[in-house]
């Protein structure tokens, strides 16, 4: 951890010196996840946290794009469930800063736009369920009914809220 004493002598927390984050209640070292992605077949990998608090999920970008399927198949052999990114995107070219480094800010900005429109029809039964989940959990654009509970960043804490949202949709109160 990093900190400093302010003018009044109070110790102020400034953040972490490493890239360790907490996702779904588990401490994860982003560098370890990137190494796991490379061990699974990626030539290069960047991992970022998207969202905050209970809604935080890991998103990963790997290159080359052609390695994406192999990385997805092999990932479970190299990373724990807690370390496995909720979203994995293949790239052939990295966005770069003026200094030639990977532009992590550009990757994060793109995180919400990748995948296009949601893969469900909001007027269908499937869509109504996804809309209920979206009211308690920020669903990425790539979410579909086939998405797993874990891949969406859901935890047991979201189940009660989702149940209430589903009751509101399917069992509306009559006043």
């Amino acid at each position: 951890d990093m900190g400093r004493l302010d003018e009044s002598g109070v110790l102020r927390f400034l953040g972490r010196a490493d890239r360790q984050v907490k996702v779904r209640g588990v401490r994860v070292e982003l560098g370890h996840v990137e190494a796991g992605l490379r061990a699974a077949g990626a030539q290069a990998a960047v991992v970022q946290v998207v969202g905050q608090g209970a809604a935080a999920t890991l998103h990963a970008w790997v290159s080359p794009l052609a390695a994406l399927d192999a990385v997805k198949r092999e990932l479970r052999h190299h990373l724990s469930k807690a370390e496995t990114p909720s979203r994995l995107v293949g790239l052939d070219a990295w966005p770069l800063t003026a200094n030639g480094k990977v532009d992590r800010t550009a990757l994060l900005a793109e995180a919400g736009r990748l995948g296009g429109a949601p893969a469900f029809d909001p007027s269908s039964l499937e869509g109504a369920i996804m809309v209920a989940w979206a009211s308690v959990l920020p669903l990425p654009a790539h979410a579909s009914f086939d998405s797993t509970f874990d891949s969406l960043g859901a935890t047991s804490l979201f189940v009660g809220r989702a149940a209430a949202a589903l009751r509101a949709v399917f069992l509306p109160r009559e006043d």
Side-chain angles (χ1 to χ4, degrees), residues 1 54 116 171:
D1 291 336
L171 303 170

Side-chain angles (χ1 to χ4, degrees), residues 1-5 11-17:
D1 291 336
M2 297 185 303
R4 69 172 178 84
L5 289 175
L11 182 62
R12 300 288 177 187
F13 177 71
L14 299 176
R16 297 191 62 92

Side-chain angles (χ1 to χ4, degrees), residues 2-171:
M2 297 185 303
R4 69 172 178 84
L5 289 175
D6 67 11
E7 301 79 34
S8 63
V10 174
L11 182 62
R12 300 288 177 187
F13 177 71
L14 299 176
R16 297 191 62 92
D18 59 11
R19 293 182 55 224
Q20 191 177 87
V21 297
K22 195 169 192 178
V23 178
R24 291 180 252 161
V26 178
R27 289 249 172 236
V28 175
E29 171 60 50
L30 297 180
H32 177 74
V33 177
E34 290 169 351
L37 290 164
R38 288 189 300 275
Q43 289 177 1
V46 171
V47 178
Q48 293 283 93
V49 174
V50 175
Q52 297 178 344
T57 59
L58 294 178
H59 287 214
W61 295 263
V62 298
S63 70
L65 177 61
L68 185 60
D69 289 335
V71 171
K72 286 180 180 178
R73 278 192 313 274
E74 293 297 315
L75 199 53
R76 64 186 172 90
H77 300 296
H78 300 280
L79 296 174
S80 71
K81 188 174 179 181
E83 296 169 319
T84 301
S86 298
R87 181 129 195 224
L88 191 57
V89 177
L91 299 173
D92 277 325
W94 294 94
L96 301 175
T97 65
N99 296 335
K101 296 180 180 178
V102 173
D103 189 344
R104 292 174 183 269
T105 304
L107 291 173
L108 284 174
E110 196 63 22
R113 294 189 293 263
L114 289 172
F120 57 87
D121 173 9
S123 65
S124 69
L125 174 62
E126 173 186 61
I129 293 169
M130 293 298 280
V131 167
W133 269 107
S135 71
V136 298
L137 180 70
L139 292 179
H142 72 285
S144 73
F145 201 66
D146 293 330
S147 297
T148 65
F149 188 73
D150 291 331
S151 75
L152 297 174
T155 66
S156 59
L157 300 174
F158 289 103
V159 173
R161 289 183 236 157
L166 288 166
R167 273 193 298 277
V169 171
F170 295 108
L171 303 170

